[in-house]
Amino acid sequence: MLTTICLDADDTLWHNERLFQFTQERFASLLSGYAASDHLAERLRDAERRNIERYGYGIKGFTLSMIETALQVTENRVPGKVIAELIACGQEMLRDPIELLNGVEGTVRSLAADFTLLLITKGDLLDQERKLAQSGLGELFDGVEIVSEKTSEVYVDIFTGRGIDPRHALMAGNSLKSDVIPVIAAGGWGVHVPYSPSWDLEAADAPMQHERFREITALSDLPGVIKEICGNM
């Protein structure tokens, strides 16, 4: 029997990646005189990949990666005005109000009535706390875990620390790499809820043949999947 339902936040409960995509378009426009947009995108992606260990996930690391990329592609000749614009872009992202995905609020309220409900998300602590507060969903969760990375070891630590048997836990989210594969490795159930656009650095192959893997089109489908799983346990 499932007793604990864990949910991701960004692009599972509310829109997030589209804000990064929009800002990246502004970045390409600001640097259009120095490099083509596809080249800039590749260089920015490389910078983000390098900087995850330094800055972690989130808007602040993304902003620093844009600045670093701007300096690299211009050989340190980028005007100060452009750097100021990139900083302003990051600040605007941090002020951007969240928008819940369709059907999320009702689904979360339904799950909270029947299960122990945990939010497990990664990223900047202050920004994730801000978004959760704005969402109006915070009071529905029995616990919130904001981590620097989502690995099987991290999930094991969360489950162990809360006295949860991973065989009775399910994690749902938009990232196969972070929300599904490591939870299955930790002994739990992983449910993929695809979101478009997706972030390249979260790409992974779906474990289609694994008995504890499921995929749904929207979070509102999750209660039905939970019912199916519980009926077969």
Side-chain angles (χ1 to χ4, degrees):
M1 189 72 175
L2 291 175
T3 61
T4 303
I5 305 301
C6 309
L7 299 176
D8 174 50
D10 293 336
D11 296 324
T12 298
L13 301 181
W14 49 71
H15 294 284
N16 183 64
E17 180 60 23
R18 68 183 188 180
L19 178 61
F20 283 80
Q21 297 277 333
F22 173 74
T23 303
Q24 190 166 328
E25 291 174 4
R26 294 178 63 184
F27 170 70
S29 177
L30 287 168
L31 275 297
S32 61
Y34 299 93
S37 60
D38 56 346
H39 178 65
L40 282 168
E42 182 179 350
R43 296 292 293 272
L44 178 57
R45 183 167 54 251
D46 290 343
E48 287 183 278
R49 184 180 291 109
R50 285 194 309 272
N51 289 332
I52 285 173
E53 292 186 1
R54 299 171 180 151
Y55 311 134
Y57 295 89
I59 293 170
K60 295 174 185 176
F62 176 67
T63 302
L64 289 170
S65 292
M66 286 195 297
I67 293 172
E68 179 181 321
T69 302
L71 290 167
Q72 289 176 343
V73 300
T74 64
E75 297 181 343
N76 295 331
R77 298 195 308 270
V78 59
K81 182 179 180 180
V82 172
I83 298 297
E85 287 278 356
L86 295 176
I87 293 172
C89 284
Q91 292 172 340
E92 288 176 20
M93 292 176 74
L94 289 168
R95 292 193 298 267
D96 193 73
I98 65 125
E99 179 184 346
L100 294 178
L101 275 70
N102 290 337
V104 160
E105 182 174 1
T107 301
V108 174
R109 290 189 180 279
S110 173
L111 294 172
D114 298 322
F115 300 93
T116 296
L117 195 61
L118 301 181
L119 182 73
I120 304 179
T121 183
K122 65 184 180 184
D124 180 81
L125 176 63
L126 292 178
D127 192 37
Q128 293 301 96
E129 289 179 337
R130 173 189 69 87
K131 288 187 283 191
L132 180 58
Q134 283 188 8
S135 74
L137 302 176
E139 64 180 15
L140 300 175
F141 289 93
D142 297 291
V144 176
E145 300 280 353
I146 301 175
V147 298
S148 58
E149 191 61 270
K150 291 179 177 178
T151 63
S152 58
E153 292 81 10
V154 167
Y155 284 109
V156 167
D157 287 345
I158 291 173
F159 294 151
T160 301
R162 293 181 175 273
I164 297 169
D165 185 336
R167 295 173 299 177
H168 301 156
L170 177 150
M171 175 75 185
N174 70 294
S175 171
L176 288 163
K177 178 182 176 182
S178 296
D179 303 321
V180 174
I181 294 172
V183 170
I184 291 175
W189 296 76
V191 178
H192 184 217
V193 193
Y195 179 90
S196 181
S198 60
W199 188 32
D200 293 347
L201 300 189
E202 288 293 318
D205 294 328
M208 299 298 297
Q209 304 306 315
H210 202 288
E211 63 179 1
R212 296 197 308 278
F213 171 72
R214 299 289 189 276
E215 186 169 79
I216 55 180
T217 58
L219 196 69
S220 56
D221 297 328
L222 186 57
V225 168
I226 293 171
K227 184 177 180 180
E228 175 259 316
I229 292 172
C230 290
N232 292 320
M233 291 182 77

